[in-house]
Amino acid sequence: RVLQENNRNYRKGYESVAPVLGNGLVTSEGEVWLRQRRLMQPSFHRSRIAAMAETMTRVTTATLERWEQAAARGEPLDMAQEMMRLTQQIIVQTMFGLHIPADPDKVGRAFDAALAFMNQFFVMPIDALRRLPTPGNLRFQRAIRFLDKLIYQMIEERRAEGGQHDDLLSMLVHARDEETGEGMSERQLRDEIFTIYLAGHETTANGLAWTWYYLSKYPELRRRLEAEVEQALGGRTPTAEDARSLPYARMLFDETLRLMPPAWMFARRSIEGDELGGYPVPAEATVMLSPYVTHHRPDLWENPEGYDPERFAPGADEGRAKYAYFPFGGGPRLCIGNNFAFMEAQLILAMIAQRFHLDLVPGQSIQPKAIATLQAPRIMMTLRPR
């Protein structure tokens, strides 16, 4: 009802994150959102995403080479941190290409400071506290100044160079509205870059970290993933086309997103009064939707607390309610990057499964941390080369 049937009556109401995301695709409404979605959709077409697969595998290869050294030393790694670092590097390079006039790690740290500040919005009771000169607020302000300067510089360079680069920023800079022929302003581009970065790496990283957690808990599922990878790839680096030959990797990631959906809860604000399931909803009411709660409902899922990728086998969803599973939202505002996330996850899972067994370090108490996203805490794992 909220996401699809009567979606026009519900706006996002995320004004509190405007200092970070501006008026990007996640926060914008109405005609502004529709125009931005129209402009950006071609950049997230499957063919464009497929062209980004080489970047995904190149960055993953570099990560695995670094892991070889940790494995040789018997040094455990925090898989939550490792997956965050990996997806961060992928989004920076797919968005900006290799020609970044700044240290990519410094760019990542600045975005992390912005994300940490945004997460505070969900636990900080008084708006005025965000304006005090606290260390965290000052870090955020420095990060925003650095990122704004960098992004505006790169937008200017892309406009001057024409279509010489094949990164996401170039696609957005040169995107034109089919109806008006107009492109995005510098400010619009800046807001969309922030939105893509902050929405495009942390969620996937958390999903991947939890997947490795479950695969250590259920080694028979890990062995099935390894068998699929060996049959599909035979030891070579995967390409975008190989994603079709890795259905079990996709099933694993789907089941992880069911049990631990990174976007665990989000809000809509009613414009006019409505009725939901027999309950009246007044105008200007905040309605909370929770994929986490819905994904754990026993009337929708058999053994909802169990980790069972077979729920997502071909044909297994017959008779299942459409919105029993909605980790990327739904309706017209379905996350534009969902296909990017799925392909990235499949390629990363396949490449790591080729090279390593990941085993949980004994004695850990691992519980998700629910703030803006359902974050994976420290998940310490040892690496055994295959």
Side-chain angles (χ1 to χ4, degrees):
R1 177 69 178 173
V2 174
L3 297 179
Q4 188 159 333
E5 292 176 0
N6 198 23
N7 69 85
R8 292 179 181 274
N9 188 53
Y10 293 90
R11 57 189 176 85
K12 285 209 168 181
Y14 287 166
E15 297 87 353
S16 61
V17 299
V20 181
L21 299 183
N23 203 27
L25 204 57
V26 166
T27 53
S28 58
E29 298 286 348
E31 290 300 318
V32 174
W33 169 80
L34 185 60
R35 177 180 180 274
Q36 289 300 98
R37 181 81 182 206
R38 241 184 358 240
L39 275 167
M40 295 177 66
Q41 192 69 54
S43 299
F44 287 89
H45 188 272
R46 288 182 185 275
S47 61
R48 292 287 184 92
I49 293 172
M52 301 174 191
E54 190 278 330
T55 299
M56 296 176 183
T57 57
R58 174 168 40 79
V59 175
T60 304
T61 296
T63 295
L64 296 179
E65 289 172 354
R66 178 171 55 81
W67 285 8
E68 293 280 2
Q69 301 170 24
R73 296 191 298 268
E75 175 187 331
L77 295 176
D78 177 359
M79 207 46 54
Q81 185 182 72
E82 290 294 324
M83 292 298 97
M84 197 72 70
R85 180 176 179 181
L86 174 56
T87 60
Q88 182 186 81
Q89 291 173 340
I90 288 173
I91 199 69
V92 167
Q93 293 196 27
T94 54
M95 189 158 55
F96 297 130
L98 296 174
H99 308 283
I100 306 173
D103 177 5
D105 286 336
K106 184 178 180 182
V107 175
R109 288 193 298 271
F111 272 118
D112 282 346
L115 179 63
F117 184 79
M118 192 171 74
N119 280 330
Q120 291 179 22
F121 297 161
F122 296 87
V123 295
M124 197 176 289
I126 303 171
D127 285 350
L129 293 177
R130 302 171 190 160
R131 295 187 287 274
L132 295 176
T134 63
N137 290 350
L138 293 173
R139 276 195 302 273
F140 165 73
Q141 291 163 11
R142 285 194 300 270
I144 289 294
R145 285 195 299 269
F146 166 74
L147 290 170
D148 280 349
K149 181 179 178 181
L150 172 69
I151 290 170
Y152 285 128
Q153 176 187 346
M154 296 188 71
I155 290 170
E156 184 179 350
E157 290 175 356
R158 293 297 192 275
R159 289 203 193 282
E161 294 168 352
Q164 294 181 22
H165 298 288
D166 194 27
D167 53 53
L168 190 54
L169 176 58
S170 293
M171 295 179 197
L172 297 180
V173 164
H174 298 295
R176 293 294 177 267
D177 190 301
E178 291 182 0
E179 296 182 5
T180 66
E182 295 179 358
M184 295 187 217
S185 68
E186 275 73 9
R187 178 66 196 191
Q188 287 172 320
L189 286 163
R190 176 264 183 216
D191 291 349
E192 299 303 353
I193 290 299
F194 265 80
T195 299
I196 291 167
Y197 180 88
L198 294 175
H201 90 282
E202 192 208 17
T203 50
T204 308
N206 284 318
L208 286 166
W210 285 118
T211 301
W212 292 118
Y213 168 84
Y214 287 118
L215 288 176
S216 178
K217 290 277 190 180
Y218 304 102
E220 69 277 10
L221 305 184
R222 179 176 67 190
R223 286 191 286 271
R224 181 169 169 183
L225 171 64
E226 291 168 352
E228 175 180 88
V229 169
E230 287 166 9
Q231 181 177 358
L233 304 178
R236 61 178 173 81
T237 301
T239 65
E241 290 73 27
D242 290 315
R244 297 180 195 146
S245 303
L246 298 167
Y248 195 67
R250 168 67 184 262
M251 289 162 58
L252 288 166
F253 196 62
D254 269 317
E255 177 65 347
T256 298
L257 296 186
R258 184 192 67 82
L259 267 178
M260 294 289 185
W264 68 284
M265 184 162 68
F266 54 92
R268 292 290 188 268
R269 189 82 52 80
S270 60
I271 298 171
E272 298 177 353
D274 195 12
E275 184 177 293
L276 296 177
Y279 292 89
V281 176
E284 291 300 315
T286 298
V287 179
M288 306 301 294
L289 299 94
S290 177
Y292 183 91
V293 171
T294 305
H295 294 178
H296 287 249
R297 278 176 50 172
D299 58 331
L300 296 174
W301 302 93
E302 182 182 352
N303 184 22
E305 299 298 322
Y307 187 76
D308 182 8
E310 294 301 321
R311 305 177 203 271
F312 295 95
D317 61 348
E318 186 175 345
R320 184 183 299 157
K322 180 178 179 182
Y323 280 87
Y325 178 67
F326 62 115
F328 292 96
R333 299 197 70 149
L334 179 73
C335 174
I336 198 172
N338 61 335
N339 289 323
F340 182 101
F342 278 123
M343 187 175 76
E344 180 183 27
Q346 284 177 280
L347 296 178
I348 290 173
L349 287 171
M351 292 183 70
I352 294 175
Q354 279 181 320
R355 299 274 290 272
F356 294 101
H357 289 306
L358 302 183
D359 299 323
L360 285 165
V361 172
Q364 298 179 83
S365 176
I366 299 173
Q367 298 294 329
K369 183 179 181 182
I371 44 179
T373 55
L374 192 65
Q375 295 186 351
R378 279 169 58 92
I379 302 179
M380 301 304 297
M381 305 190 82
T382 55
L383 291 78
R384 290 185 291 124
R386 292 194 61 207

